[in-house]
Amino acid sequence: MNLKSLQFFCEVVETRNANLAAQRLHVVPTAVSMQLGQLEAMLGAKVFDRSTRPMTLTPLGRFIYPKAKALLADAQRLFDEAQDMASGHFGWLSIGFTRSTIFSVLPDAVRRMKADLPKVRVDLTEILSEHQGEALRSGLIHVGLSRTLGPRAEEDDLDYFPLFDDALVAAVPASSAYAKRKRLTPNDLAGMAFISYPKDPESSFARSTIQALEQAGVKVRVGYEAKEIHTALGLVAAGLGYALVGRSVADDSRGDILFLPVQGLAATAQVYAVRAKGVSHQLADDFMRIIAQQSGAR
């Protein structure tokens, strides 16, 4: 169906006058008559009763008018969104993240992205660092926010962008005897159960935190294995033990947990972004600029 014919038809309906419709459309009146004739020929019936003055809609005209208005609105919206997408102002951005980044760069970066480009749809998918490469290759995500402790195994088809280093601290119950302490010793932790996370056979973070504690002289006794950091912190708050988290988690402090450095614990987690090498994506570029600016201020 010819959208121009529908546009002219709707204009005549709303002005109730073909000559006035022509003025608003910046065309001659014969152009309006021609488009209406084409529409009626295509439909096989009249849309206006021309025996009345002003013209009135026939039953067919009354039927198609609201549908024509909706169709024209959809077409205009499609055109506007296509223009915005072509200019990089509209589209879809999928971000994969490790849950600990919720406490640091992720929320502010997404808020800034939505403020700068409100028409962009941003999807967030929780994915462990070890699985983000596969998600990038499949197109499930455009950018990954990862964290690693110790040496990072880099893959040839991925690009890595360091964001910030996150010193490790112990999360202990606020109700513990260490409420007034500024630092813990290895002996302080020896009698407490360690809450390990994430519980995933492909994640190296849990193993690396235990090794870091042992290198600091802590005798580690694993009491619980949590699937993710929020569960681990919940167990800490319940007084069931302690966990090791990045300092950035302490920035989002809660009243039922203390975050204290451990004497001799030198391990530091690295937070970084990862993208598929050679894949162009304007919105991913925009997000990378935002998150680089924010992490550089940390």
Side-chain angles (χ1 to χ4, degrees), residues 139-163:
L140 176 64
I141 62 174
H142 304 115
V143 179
L145 296 181
S146 296
R147 176 188 63 169
T148 188
L149 184 61
R152 179 177 67 223
E154 298 192 355
E155 300 178 70
D156 293 339
D157 60 341
L158 302 178
D159 284 325
Y160 300 83
F161 305 88
L163 297 176

Side-chain angles (χ1 to χ4, degrees), residues 78-155:
L78 172 61
F79 180 77
D80 291 342
E81 291 178 356
Q83 279 195 321
D84 286 339
M85 182 172 288
S87 62
H89 296 149
F90 178 85
W92 168 57
L93 177 66
S94 180
I95 303 168
F97 66 97
T98 57
R99 190 163 292 211
S100 62
T101 57
I102 288 179
F103 298 101
S104 54
V105 293
L106 181 60
D108 288 343
V110 171
R111 279 193 292 268
R112 169 75 180 279
M113 188 81 180
K114 294 296 291 182
D116 290 351
L117 300 169
K119 295 181 180 180
V120 171
R121 172 182 168 181
V122 178
D123 286 342
L124 301 177
T125 303
E126 183 187 352
I127 307 178
L128 288 174
S129 301
E130 290 79 5
H131 303 311
Q132 289 187 10
E134 179 182 351
L136 286 162
R137 294 184 192 99
S138 68
L140 176 64
I141 62 174
H142 304 115
V143 179
L145 296 181
S146 296
R147 176 188 63 169
T148 188
L149 184 61
R152 179 177 67 223
E154 298 192 355
E155 300 178 70

Side-chain angles (χ1 to χ4, degrees), residues 8 20 33 39 50 68 81 96 176 182 193 222 232 241-242 251 257 276 283:
F8 281 36
L20 184 54
S33 298
L39 177 62
R50 292 171 175 78
E81 291 178 356
S176 67
K182 293 185 178 181
V222 178
Y242 74 98
D251 293 341
I257 296 177
L283 293 175

Side-chain angles (χ1 to χ4, degrees), residues 176-191:
S176 67
Y178 307 120
K180 296 184 179 179
R181 298 277 293 276
K182 293 185 178 181
R183 180 180 296 271
L184 299 174
T185 68
N187 287 336
D188 292 331
L189 299 177

